[in-house]
Amino acid sequence: MPAEHHGADRVGHRLKPHRIRSSDAYNRRMSAFLFHVQAEDSQTSARRGEFRTAHGAVQTPAFMPVGTVATVKGIDVPGVQATGAEIVLGNTYHLALRPGEDIIAEFGGLHTFMGWPAPILTDSGGFQIFSLAKIVKIDDEGAKFRSHIDGALLNLTPERAVEIQAALGSDIAMVLDHVVRLPSSPEQIREAVERTILWAKRARAAHHKAAQPHQAQFGIVQGGLDPAMRIECSQRLLDFDFDGYAIGGLSVGETPEQMYHILRECTSVLPPAKPRYLMGVGQPWDLLEAIAQGVDMFDCVLPTRNGRNALAYSDTGPIRLRNKCHERDQSPLEEGCPCPACQHSRGYLRHLFMADEMLGPILLTAHNLTYYQRLMRDAREAITQSVFADFHRKKQAGWNAD
């Protein structure tokens, strides 16, 4: 079969009804998405909460390891669980291309396919169209593009993104949004906002029509670095009463200070009774700043990507294990860290990378994910005790010590 036709089968076709539903056991687990705030910090906008899904509860603030193609790179499911993660992220764009959502549905959904028993959030593919796809044409109908895998011509609409995620069976599904690079012109930002709102309206209607009561749906706020545009987009999305709201289109070229400013504007408008998700961010210090402004959920490839490249996170800042200063260092990455990497010396870990042994990236991936989850756990405890501002200052001082 020609590549173009094959690609259309994967992303462009309409699934038959029996493909969208998975096993009877899966359907019996369906339940509503529930979120509530348990505690608020007295000096910041940080809040501790919990959301419940058909596959269990997640404590917030929460960090989601990125399992783009049904795996978190370099670590298996028991390893991810051992880090303390309660939810992972999968991706509509990648999974629809390979192996195809119809195949995953035959396995009973993404949870069964990858062996992950806890909640899963699936991104809609908007960012991947922005960052990976070739020869993209975006209009109000959707996005037409060529696959980054084989060049096949593909089509992704708001309705199609809903359909794919219904087949995947994720607990939280994201709407398709229009992402633009920063900086962009005011005209480009306005066009992206209007299209994002149009697509959100269509995605919400398609979600209701799909009748997947187990699956929550989040809207995504766009608007570049224009505070007024961000506020307008947030307010207009509230009309669709999504189960949660994400802040997208950041960490794509702006400075940290610009990102923090936009976060303040968005969280001031987004409803306090719904979870707030900052997409694709970021460094540990970015996470704590966002938590201080009332953000509840995060995802980012940095802990796994940097782990594969010999960079480990710690309370004293990043540790670059390829540096010669670690060659004879017999101390662990972090005293008291329970991850498998910290059962070894820095000297041994450095040796693994210098010898191109695959165990090095595996161990540092486990360490970085453990570090991020510990950061979230400690942040939740600080919020509960209403000392988050002090916790934030101390962490920042440690990271800036060098």
Side-chain angles (χ1 to χ4, degrees), residues 11-12 92-93 96 124-126 129 141-145 154-162 164 176 199:
V11 175
T92 295
Y93 170 93
S124 66
I129 294 171
E141 178 58 26
K144 297 179 178 65
F145 57 95
L154 307 167
N155 183 35
L156 187 61
T157 66
E159 294 81 6
R160 183 73 182 112
V162 168
I164 294 169
L176 186 65
W199 286 357

Side-chain angles (χ1 to χ4, degrees), residues 23 72 93 175 204 223 227 238 241 243 245 275 305 316 338 354 373:
S23 66
V72 178
Y93 170 93
V175 300
R204 197 60 172 152
L238 298 186
D241 192 27
D243 300 294
Y245 293 87
R305 178 180 292 166
T316 56
M354 300 308 291
Q373 294 303 332

Side-chain angles (χ1 to χ4, degrees), residues 194-253:
E194 293 297 333
R195 187 162 290 138
T196 291
I197 293 168
L198 172 65
W199 286 357
K201 180 178 181 180
R202 288 165 51 190
R204 197 60 172 152
H207 179 75
H208 288 317
K209 188 176 180 180
Q212 298 284 325
H214 75 285
Q215 190 176 63
Q217 187 183 50
F218 283 19
I220 303 176
V221 176
Q222 292 292 344
L225 298 178
D226 185 328
M229 202 101 57
R230 286 281 182 173
I231 290 173
E232 177 188 341
C233 188
S234 300
Q235 291 173 331
R236 291 171 67 183
L237 287 174
L238 298 186
D239 292 340
F240 307 131
D241 192 27
F242 286 104
D243 300 294
Y245 293 87
I247 302 166
L250 293 175
S251 194
V252 290

Side-chain angles (χ1 to χ4, degrees), residues 29-99:
R29 291 200 301 268
M30 289 182 176
S31 63
F33 176 89
L34 299 171
F35 171 76
H36 69 281
V37 176
Q38 299 169 325
E40 296 180 330
D41 182 60
S42 61
Q43 299 182 55
T44 71
S45 297
R47 71 238 196 109
R48 176 177 180 167
E50 177 187 81
F51 62 81
R52 293 185 175 274
T53 75
H55 290 92
V58 175
Q59 304 301 309
T60 63
F63 179 81
M64 299 179 285
V66 176
T68 302
V69 292
T71 178
V72 178
K73 286 185 182 295
I75 187 168
D76 63 3
V77 164
V80 176
Q81 291 176 305
T83 70
E86 296 179 324
I87 180 172
V88 298
L89 178 146
N91 186 264
T92 295
Y93 170 93
H94 288 281
L95 293 172
L97 292 180
R98 186 171 53 192

Side-chain angles (χ1 to χ4, degrees), residues 246-314:
I247 302 166
L250 293 175
S251 194
V252 290
E254 78 284 1
T255 67
E257 291 72 23
Q258 289 173 318
M259 178 174 69
Y260 301 156
H261 177 63
I262 291 301
L263 282 181
R264 284 191 291 273
E265 298 295 339
C266 292
T267 54
S268 70
V269 177
L270 294 175
K274 302 288 182 73
R276 303 159 180 164
Y277 165 28
L278 176 56
M279 305 181 75
V281 177
Q283 299 283 8
W285 36 95
D286 293 328
L287 270 58
L288 290 194
E289 180 63 36
I291 290 170
Q293 296 184 27
V295 175
D296 306 296
M297 300 168 61
F298 306 90
D299 80 278
C300 191
V301 298
L302 284 179
T304 50
R305 178 180 292 166
N306 284 337
R308 295 194 302 275
N309 288 281
L311 186 148
Y313 288 100
S314 78

Side-chain angles (χ1 to χ4, degrees), residues 325-366:
C325 63
H326 302 298
E327 186 175 34
R328 290 179 170 82
D329 193 337
Q330 298 182 33
S331 62
L333 288 173
E334 284 200 297
E335 293 287 351
C337 177
C339 83
C342 288
Q343 310 313 304
H344 301 282
S345 67
R346 296 188 185 194
Y348 176 68
L349 295 172
R350 180 181 187 274
H351 159 71
L352 294 176
F353 281 96
M354 300 308 291
D356 290 328
E357 285 290 339
M358 64 188 297
L359 182 58
I362 291 171
L363 290 175
L364 249 62
T365 294

Side-chain angles (χ1 to χ4, degrees), residues 103-122:
I103 291 175
I104 293 175
E106 288 181 11
F107 279 80
L110 187 54
H111 296 84
T112 305
F113 183 68
M114 67 182 291
W116 175 260
I120 296 175
L121 178 147
T122 45

